[in-house]
Amino acid sequence: MAYTLTMKFGGTSVGDEAAIRQVIEIVGQNHRPPARRTVVVVSALSGTTDRLLEGGWSAGAGEAGRAAEVSDEVRRAHQCLIDALAGDEAAALTGEIGAQLDRYRATCERIRSLGDPTPQLLDEAVGTGERMSARLVAAALRQAGVRASAYDSDGFIVTDDRFQNATPDMKPTRAKLRRALGPVLNRGEVPVVTGYIGATEAGVPTTLGRGGSDYSASIVGACLETDEVWIWTDVDGVMSADPRLVADAHSIPFISYGEVAELAYFGAKVLHPRCIRPVVERRIPLRVKNTFNPSHPGTLIGPDGHRNGGLKAVSAIPHVSLITVEGNGMLGVPGIAARTFGAVARTGTNVLLISQASSEQSICFTVPQEQAAVAAEALRDEFKIELERADIDQVSVKEGATIVTLVGEGMLNRPGIAGAIFTATGQAGINVIAIAQGSSDCGISLVVEGARGNEAVRVIHAAALERSVPVRSEVPLEVSADER
Ligand code: ADP
Ligand code: ASP
Ligand code: MG
């Protein structure tokens, strides 16, 4: 039986010549058809998606020139890599990438004439980054002697029409993916698939949300039933905190699907929050590894349970607002919570966290800062009568907060964790505005002043995680067959 790996390479892993040479090395070492087969999923070159989006927004604001500038900058960045890596395919690839960027500019022109950067047109524009990187990486692999070809995933990842944050419909996606890529794998070739992008059933391009290439990889891995999905990035796996924030953060050898989903949901950028679901359903192990340090084992992500235990990591979501609905007249009145969250949901606002109040006199929850005003307005409207009668005293918004989350399976059964966190934040003089325990039994979240958010991450890491550095030899890196 062939052993098939899906390998996703993020933006920095394809960001320059040295990085792409690493990718070639990694794929070349793994790909030994028919015994070992490889599916590659790629992000856009680092910084490209931000630039392409900026061009689209500027076009929407009536500025025609910026999209052209972006197109030139992006063209130059790709041309350097084409010259270095594409060998005798360079001329053809220059032409293909030029054609992609011409389409990008045409889309930006449509945005400009409409005067509105609609999510639909932005998705059409921004997918250009992955279309270019997939072609580049496939050519570089071929030049290094690995049989490879590029595939645009809008041909097989079928999504809903929630542009900028689309969700795949797994049934048609699975059928189309298997039809498109099954024969490629059987021929011993490496398909190099665009991350991030999909299309509606009618063929309109969509994207899976920022950082969505991780999600693409897990969709591809699940649909093709590959043996594992490896996410190659620029750090040694999932770490106990964002290493840019906490200098002594350590790599975690094993973390469960549930824990890593909680961590990603609560702000750890290393994985897209929704990328866990497709692999959980098929119990496919996920690994996070460092393209620039490939011999490091990185992190294995697998089923929850016995091999686990212990606190794992701390993460943060900055720029959130805390909304509170409060008043004595709410006490014992049924339906207030349903009306609160109903009103907020109708505005399309994403409720990140609900804080458990010990009394029934207030409901408190956290939303992204930019959605707070709309949500609060909807609540004042919903509770107009109650506010007039003073049953509800006020709907208040506290801006500029940060959610800090500590993750570890089984933590709700372990006394003292909340105490340790409060002691640590208290000693640092950081005021905890709200607290919530995740329903999944693997996370506890605090809301703190945004200005103290990074410091809160550091003191909680120092108090809860620094002494829990796992002993690597205790953790086997293979997932045994009976655990799958
Ligand atoms: P890629 O382009 O490979 O998808 P990302 O920038 O999206 O990479 O994600 C990797 C980055 O996530 C790391 O460089 C790191 O700064 C950040 N990060 C945040 N939290 C964590 C964490 N807990 N573990 C590892 N990396 C983290
Ligand atoms: N290129 C996309 C982004 O920057 C997707 C990804 O990198 O995962 O968001
Ligand atoms: Mg990413």
Side-chain angles (χ1 to χ4, degrees):
M1 265 297 270
Y3 196 84
T4 310
L5 285 187
T6 301
M7 290 190 169
K8 175 258 171 177
F9 295 93
T12 41
S13 301
V14 294
D16 58 29
E17 183 190 338
I20 297 182
R21 291 204 186 279
Q22 275 293 110
V23 171
I24 294 169
E25 175 79 20
I26 290 165
V27 174
Q29 275 183 9
N30 180 68
H31 193 65
R32 295 274 180 277
R36 284 185 79 89
R37 310 186 303 183
T38 320
V39 183
V40 168
V41 176
V42 288
S43 293
L45 274 54
S46 53
T48 303
T49 307
D50 287 340
R51 283 208 185 110
L52 294 171
L53 273 173
E54 194 206 323
W57 284 325
S58 303
E63 227 188 283
R66 187 66 195 127
E69 275 168 29
V70 163
S71 165
D72 287 344
E73 285 163 24
V74 167
R75 192 190 310 263
R76 276 196 297 276
H78 284 75
Q79 192 61 51
C80 288
L81 298 180
I82 292 173
D83 294 343
L85 297 159
D88 59 4
E89 295 185 54
L93 195 55
T94 300
E96 277 188 60
I97 281 173
Q100 294 291 343
L101 285 168
D102 289 347
R103 270 196 284 278
Y104 166 75
R105 283 166 63 165
T107 307
C108 288
E109 184 46 36
R110 275 161 58 215
I111 293 175
R112 197 197 57 79
S113 59
L114 200 68
D116 182 9
T118 65
Q120 178 176 337
L121 286 172
L122 284 176
D123 274 357
E124 188 181 309
V126 84
T128 308
E130 272 69 11
R131 294 182 203 278
M132 294 187 297
S133 64
R135 283 161 177 76
L136 174 66
V137 170
L141 281 166
R142 283 193 297 270
Q143 290 297 316
V146 182
R147 289 173 62 206
S149 33
Y151 290 86
D152 290 326
S153 52
D154 52 351
F156 39 72
I157 294 190
V158 183
T159 72
D160 61 13
D161 62 359
R162 202 155 163 231
F163 298 103
Q164 307 255 274
N165 198 19
T167 301
D169 184 347
M170 291 301 273
K171 211 167 159 209
T173 298
R174 186 178 144 88
K176 286 190 168 197
L177 243 163
R178 294 177 81 87
R179 211 175 312 130
L181 301 187
V184 183
L185 284 170
N186 290 338
R187 286 198 300 272
E189 279 179 36
V190 177
V192 180
V193 179
T194 54
Y196 189 43
I197 57 184
T200 64
E201 215 168 352
V204 183
T206 56
T207 64
L208 304 174
R210 292 306 306 270
S213 297
D214 302 328
Y215 196 13
S216 309
S218 75
I219 294 164
V220 169
C223 290
L224 293 176
E225 292 174 24
T226 67
D227 293 273
E228 296 193 24
V229 175
W230 291 20
I231 306 290
W232 290 92
T233 184
D234 56 2
V235 286
D236 290 336
V238 179
M239 307 192 68
S240 55
D242 185 343
R244 286 173 303 188
L245 226 60
V246 179
D248 51 4
H250 56 262
S251 166
I252 304 167
F254 180 84
I255 189 167
S256 71
Y257 292 131
E259 288 170 323
V260 90
E262 188 90 350
L263 203 59
Y265 176 84
F266 283 110
K269 194 191 165 201
V270 65
L271 284 177
H272 184 284
R274 291 189 291 156
C275 85
I276 311 302
R277 193 153 167 226
V279 290
V280 172
E281 281 167 4
R282 299 195 175 265
R283 306 201 107 204
I284 297 172
L286 196 69
R287 263 173 227 263
V288 180
K289 281 179 66 80
N290 190 346
T291 305
F292 308 97
N293 187 16
S295 61
H296 191 287
T299 299
L300 173 64
I301 303 165
D304 307 2
H306 62 277
R307 268 220 319 259
N308 231 350
L311 299 174
K312 293 294 186 338
V314 59
S315 61
I317 309 182
H319 313 304
V320 302
S321 293
L322 192 73
I323 300 185
T324 308
V325 180
E326 61 188 318
N328 283 332
M330 287 165 62
L331 199 76
V333 180
I336 297 272
R339 283 174 62 199
T340 300
F341 293 112
V344 173
R346 282 191 292 280
T347 65
T349 301
N350 187 12
V351 175
L352 298 165
L353 166 156
I354 300 170
S355 173
Q356 295 159 338
S358 56
S359 81
E360 286 184 60
Q361 291 175 37
S362 77
I363 296 174
C364 167
F365 58 95
T366 313
V367 301
Q369 202 160 279
E370 63 281 4
Q371 295 175 333
V374 174
E377 187 60 39
L379 286 168
R380 290 187 188 112
D381 212 42
E382 173 70 34
F383 293 119
K384 199 161 186 281
I385 293 168
E386 287 82 355
L387 283 162
E388 275 164 15
R389 285 202 306 243
D391 286 344
I392 289 178
D393 297 332
Q394 61 171 338
V395 173
S396 62
V397 179
K398 178 163 181 40
E399 288 186 342
T402 290
I403 302 174
V404 180
T405 302
L406 179 63
V407 170
E409 206 173 77
M411 66 195 272
L412 300 193
N413 298 326
R414 294 178 34 207
I417 290 177
I421 297 173
F422 281 117
T423 305
T425 46
Q427 277 170 355
I430 298 168
N431 184 26
V432 176
I433 310 165
I435 176 165
Q437 286 191 330
S439 56
S440 56
D441 185 24
C442 66
I444 186 166
S445 296
L446 317 180
V447 181
V448 301
E449 298 279 358
R452 311 293 303 275
N454 291 351
E455 199 184 342
V457 168
R458 285 189 203 106
V459 299
I460 291 172
H461 188 270
L465 295 159
E466 235 160 55
R467 282 181 299 279
S468 73
V469 179
V471 180
R472 186 165 293 281
S473 60
E474 283 174 3
V475 186
L477 264 174
E478 298 306 322
V479 172
S480 61
D482 61 313
E483 283 176 88
R484 293 217 190 127

